[in-house]
Amino acid sequence: MASLDNDLDPVLDKDGVRLTVDDAIATVTLTNPAKRNAQSPALWRALTEAGRSLPGTVRVVVLRAEGQSFSAGLDRQAFTPEGFDGEPSFIDLARGADAELDATIAEYQEAFTWWRRSDVVSIAAVQGHAIGAGFQLALACDLRVVADDVQFAMRETSLGLVPDLTGTHPLVSLVGYARALEICATGRFVSAEEAERTGLANLAVPLDQLGDAVRDLAAAVLAAPRDAVVETKALLRGAQERTYEEQRVAERAAQARRLRDLAGLGE
């Protein structure tokens, strides 16, 4: 199967994000371990660009991070009056018009939305701290494999904020409203054991086995025909919004398309 190593020429390498592609597998790596892969608007734009740069051959996207932490969350420099060089500070954004603030947050969210598009399956390989924006980035992916040292936490409320990088919907979907509220309101750490038990993680493994576990999962996904995986993902993603009867209809329509394609009768 394709490699997850970083000995490939990068398609993109900027602002703490590197994208490499090996046939059907793309690997997006957070590359600022000195700052525990803290996030910034520049990093979010690079993540958005990575999603737009994926070749059509890609079926699986692996998200990983260098260093001991997956991502310690938002870089606290965002809350200083100076902010980041060349960027409006969060204080400046707060003073702006509502429409401008909304548009800026929507732009930030784009870094977190493309991971669930129907033509790829995304897998987050998470070790160490995944806090705030880091937690939400892991939640943006379809699947999560975690190391036994992982510590998830949603710390936005402790800062007087709310999680706004698309993490609330998948969190509630995975663990339910009551547990999601408790995790967000308290900002407590969620361990690997709890993450696996509650459905936050598909698999928890020792840290030195994280890479191999992700490779095995990617290989299993690639073993199935692409169109069948795409149709199945779309069915499952839409199930939450459909009634039982609507889901039955959607299943029949999807299966009819697959049967026609297999019979050579597709459009």
Side-chain angles (χ1 to χ4, degrees), residues 176-245:
Y177 160 75
R179 189 177 296 272
L181 175 60
E182 179 254 329
I183 288 171
C184 292
T186 65
R188 69 173 177 85
F189 286 114
V190 177
S191 68
E193 183 278 328
E194 181 182 353
E196 186 176 34
R197 173 168 48 84
T198 59
L200 271 175
N202 297 82
L203 182 66
V205 298
L207 178 60
D208 61 359
Q209 298 177 22
L210 184 60
D212 288 339
V214 172
R215 288 184 183 89
D216 290 344
L217 181 54
V221 171
L222 292 175
R226 179 172 196 161
D227 289 345
V229 174
V230 169
E231 289 275 14
T232 300
K233 180 175 177 178
L235 269 177
L236 296 174
R237 286 291 311 279
Q240 292 177 308
E241 285 74 42
R242 300 187 190 106
T243 66
Y244 179 80
E245 290 302 320

Side-chain angles (χ1 to χ4, degrees), residues 78-113:
F79 296 104
T80 65
E82 303 80 22
F84 302 100
D85 290 343
E87 304 275 357
S89 71
F90 281 18
I91 296 172
D92 291 335
L93 288 173
R95 291 170 176 156
D98 289 347
E100 181 181 356
L101 180 57
D102 182 76
T104 300
I105 296 174
E107 178 187 352
Y108 296 162
Q109 288 176 331
E110 290 182 17
F112 297 76
T113 57

